């Protein structure tokens, strides 16, 4: 079976979880099918476990696509998105059995190529503009998503939360939706513990960790507002925010308003050993997302033997019955759970053990790829 998979990023040239999910899915799926993965531009990627090609650098005539959109997003980005399918066609000539694209960046190319080759089109929905913006979408991105999601033969959301969004906001027929949760790579990764973390640990500080983009969707401001409550019971506590984003200056202002600046650390974006080291030096991971379709960060925390608590609006939590959850806006409840896990060692130890074994049993990229392969067979017949 020939599968043409269309993505937007792969590690280490990725801005978040989308590239990570694409990498592991393509890696496992390529063991079962003849898979070609396309990227929109050339990157120095070496020794990948699957075939990767790069779209032509030449921007072709866009057949009137651009005239349908107002430019409230970057014109160059829109050019790349809407010309992606034609630029792939310059390089890729063999007829595939299935065209499988990831998110809105790749959706127009997926539909264009599926129509050209007359094969099924699958769009893998890792997140929607509704979820990313708290139901305040960029109208252009939302328009592109709605049009091409409706044109796709099948949609593959990563959680039931996103399935509900597709039905409610995009008017998608439930019959063409197949929920495919992400897997996870459970190999342990060595990390580099920052010297300042070593100092904090030697001084008996508790470290509460946030990992993710500093944007409305991820809810870092809600977590920050728990700090005054937590400090009443655990004075020696530091909140560490790992990530970058347009809420950074707002978070600085909030920390000053709450008079907790000296208890907050911002590290900017980290990856690889630096990121794993921060996980391994923390005492608790909090994922307070306002709307997160799945969320690989909670699983990264669990894999580093951290207690992890998540909002009900974080998709992965719906699959884990042992995981503690809270409403993202419920500052007091979030603070209560943080305090409980930091203060009571027996609770902390038992909780970590339970969520680790449950998560490891449920999330596996081999299982995800097997489920996807079986779905391919079903729609190809």
């Amino acid at each position: 079976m020939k599968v043409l998979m269309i993505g937007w990023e792969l590690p280490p040239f990725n801005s978040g979880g989308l590239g990570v999910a694409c990498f592991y899915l393509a890696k496992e799926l390529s063991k079962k099918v003849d898979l070609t993965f396309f990227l929109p531009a050339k990157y120095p990627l070496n020794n990948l476990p699957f075939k990767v090609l790069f779209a032509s650098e030449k921007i072709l005539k866009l057949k009137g696509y651009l005239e349908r959109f107002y430019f409230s997003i970057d014109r160059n980005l829109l050019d790349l998105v809407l010309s992606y399918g034609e630029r792939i066609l310059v390089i890729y000539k063999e007829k595939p059995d299935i065209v499988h694209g990831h998110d809105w960046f790749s959706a127009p190319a997926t539909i264009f190529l599926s129509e050209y080759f007359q094969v099924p089109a699958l769009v893998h929905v890792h997140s929607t503009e509704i979820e990313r913006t708290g139901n305040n979408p960029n109208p252009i991105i939302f328009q592109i998503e709605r049009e091409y999601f409706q044109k796709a033969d099948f949609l593959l959301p990563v959680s039931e939360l996103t399935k509900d969004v597709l039905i409610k906001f995009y008017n998608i027929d439930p019959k063409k939706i197949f929920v495919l949760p992400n897997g996870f790579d459970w190999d342990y990764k060595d990390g580099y513990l920052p010297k300042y973390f070593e100092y904090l640990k030697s001084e008996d500080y508790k470290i509460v960790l946030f990992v993710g983009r500093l944007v409305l969707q991820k809810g870092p401001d809600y977590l920050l507002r728990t700090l005054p409550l937590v400090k009443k019971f655990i004075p020696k506590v530091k909140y560490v925010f790992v990530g970058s984003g347009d809420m950074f200056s707002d978070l600085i202002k909030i920390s000053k308003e709450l008079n907790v600046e000296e208890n907050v650390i911002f590290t900017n974006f980290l990856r690889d050993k630096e990121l794993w080291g921060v996980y391994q030096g923390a005492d608790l991971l909090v994922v307070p997302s306002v709307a997160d379709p799945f969320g690989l960060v909670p699983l990264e925390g669990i894999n580093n033997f951290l207690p992890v608590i998540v909002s009900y609006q974080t998709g992965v939590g719906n699959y884990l019955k042992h995981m503690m959850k809270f409403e993202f806006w419920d500052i007091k409840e979030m603070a209560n759970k943080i305090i409980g896990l930091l203060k009571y060692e027996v609770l902390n130890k038992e909780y970590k053990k339970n969520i680790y074994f449950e998560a490891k049993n449920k999330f596996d990229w081999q299982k995800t790829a097997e489920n996807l392969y079986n779905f391919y067979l079903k729609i190809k017949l």
Side-chain angles (χ1 to χ4, degrees):
M1 185 190 300
K2 290 184 183 295
V3 175
L4 173 56
M5 186 168 283
I6 306 172
W8 197 256
E9 61 179 27
L10 288 173
F13 303 97
N14 62 302
S15 60
L18 173 62
V20 175
C22 287
F23 173 82
Y24 284 107
L25 181 63
K27 176 185 175 182
E28 293 302 326
L29 192 61
S30 64
K31 298 173 184 177
K32 303 175 180 295
V33 302
D34 180 1
L35 185 142
T36 302
F37 193 102
F38 259 93
L39 288 170
K42 195 164 187 176
Y43 298 101
L45 296 165
N46 300 310
N47 302 318
L48 289 172
F50 50 90
K51 183 180 180 181
V52 175
L53 295 177
F54 307 100
S56 169
E57 294 180 0
K58 183 179 180 182
I59 300 289
L60 303 178
K61 184 179 178 183
L62 302 182
K63 295 184 178 179
Y65 285 148
L66 291 178
E67 285 75 10
R68 296 184 293 130
F69 298 98
Y70 297 101
F71 299 109
S72 62
I73 61 175
D74 183 84
R75 172 66 182 258
N76 292 328
L77 173 62
L78 203 58
D79 283 346
L80 284 173
V81 168
L82 297 176
S83 68
Y84 195 5
E86 295 185 6
R87 292 188 296 112
I88 287 173
L89 202 54
V90 173
I91 308 295
Y92 187 87
K93 302 299 184 183
E94 296 181 66
K95 180 178 179 178
D97 295 297
I98 288 169
V99 182
H100 181 158
H102 293 272
D103 266 3
W104 78 273
F105 300 106
S106 305
T110 302
I111 304 307
F112 171 78
L113 290 165
S114 73
E115 291 176 349
Y116 179 87
F117 289 115
Q118 292 295 293
V119 297
L122 281 69
V123 176
H124 207 128
V125 186
H126 297 264
S127 69
T128 66
E129 184 67 2
I130 294 293
E131 294 162 304
R132 289 187 294 269
T133 63
N135 197 16
N136 185 31
N138 179 299
I140 308 309
I141 297 175
F142 180 69
Q143 183 180 348
I144 292 172
E145 286 184 335
R146 184 170 55 186
E147 177 176 340
Y148 290 99
F149 288 177
Q150 289 179 354
K151 286 182 176 180
D153 294 299
F154 298 98
L155 296 179
L156 308 178
V158 294
S159 69
E160 294 289 340
L161 289 179
T162 302
K163 176 183 177 179
D164 292 342
V165 170
L166 290 172
I167 294 169
K168 180 178 179 181
F169 292 94
Y170 295 83
N171 197 30
I172 302 298
D173 183 351
K175 292 180 182 178
K176 74 173 195 177
I177 297 176
F178 176 68
V179 178
L180 186 71
N182 288 328
F184 190 73
D185 172 30
W186 292 100
D187 291 341
Y188 184 74
K189 299 170 180 64
D190 290 329
Y192 169 75
L193 185 65
K195 293 293 184 184
Y196 187 58
F197 269 43
E198 290 183 11
Y199 165 75
L200 292 176
K201 304 298 281 185
S202 69
E203 294 293 317
D204 295 323
Y205 273 89
K206 297 294 185 181
I207 298 173
V208 175
L209 184 62
F210 170 96
V211 177
R213 287 176 292 118
L214 304 181
V215 295
L216 181 150
Q217 180 193 7
K218 301 296 183 179
D221 49 329
Y222 292 100
L223 173 59
L224 184 54
R225 293 186 185 281
T226 67
L227 185 45
L229 299 175
V230 172
K231 272 187 69 175
K232 290 179 181 179
F233 295 88
I234 307 171
K236 298 184 78 171
V237 64
K238 294 280 187 179
Y239 277 31
V240 178
F241 290 84
V242 177
S244 59
D246 56 22
M247 286 188 73
F248 175 67
S249 58
D250 292 331
L251 294 172
I252 296 291
K253 291 176 184 176
I254 293 171
S255 64
K256 290 186 70 67
E257 289 169 4
L258 298 175
N259 196 30
V260 294
E261 311 99 289
E262 60 184 33
N263 296 88
V264 182
I265 302 169
F266 295 97
T267 71
N268 211 325
F269 184 81
L270 300 177
R271 67 166 74 246
D272 299 331
K273 285 193 174 184
E274 287 186 325
L275 176 60
W276 309 133
V278 170
Y279 274 124
Q280 291 154 17
D283 295 289
L284 172 69
L285 174 69
V286 183
V287 184
S289 297
V290 174
D292 201 337
F294 187 78
L296 290 174
V297 165
L299 299 181
E300 290 176 348
I302 292 170
N303 196 36
N304 284 283
F305 309 110
L306 274 174
V308 180
I309 61 174
V310 305
S311 67
Y312 282 108
Q313 292 74 24
T314 302
V316 70
N318 291 331
Y319 297 97
L320 298 172
K321 64 181 181 181
H322 288 110
M323 181 169 273
M324 292 186 187
K325 306 176 190 74
F326 52 85
E327 300 289 355
F328 72 85
W329 43 262
D330 195 337
I331 306 301
K332 289 185 179 179
E333 183 60 24
M334 199 188 322
N336 284 339
K337 287 179 165 57
I338 293 170
I339 293 164
L341 285 166
L342 293 181
K343 282 185 70 73
Y344 302 109
E345 187 176 339
V346 174
L347 170 64
N348 187 309
K349 185 177 179 180
E350 192 67 19
Y351 179 63
K352 284 189 294 189
K353 182 179 73 174
N354 287 339
I355 61 173
Y356 178 82
F357 285 112
E358 184 183 13
K360 194 170 183 180
N361 185 55
K362 288 186 175 178
F363 300 109
D364 180 273
W365 282 117
Q366 290 183 349
K367 291 180 183 177
T368 300
E370 182 70 27
N371 290 337
L372 178 56
Y373 176 66
N374 290 334
F375 186 71
Y376 282 169
L377 292 176
K378 180 180 176 181
I379 65 175
K380 186 175 177 289
L381 293 176

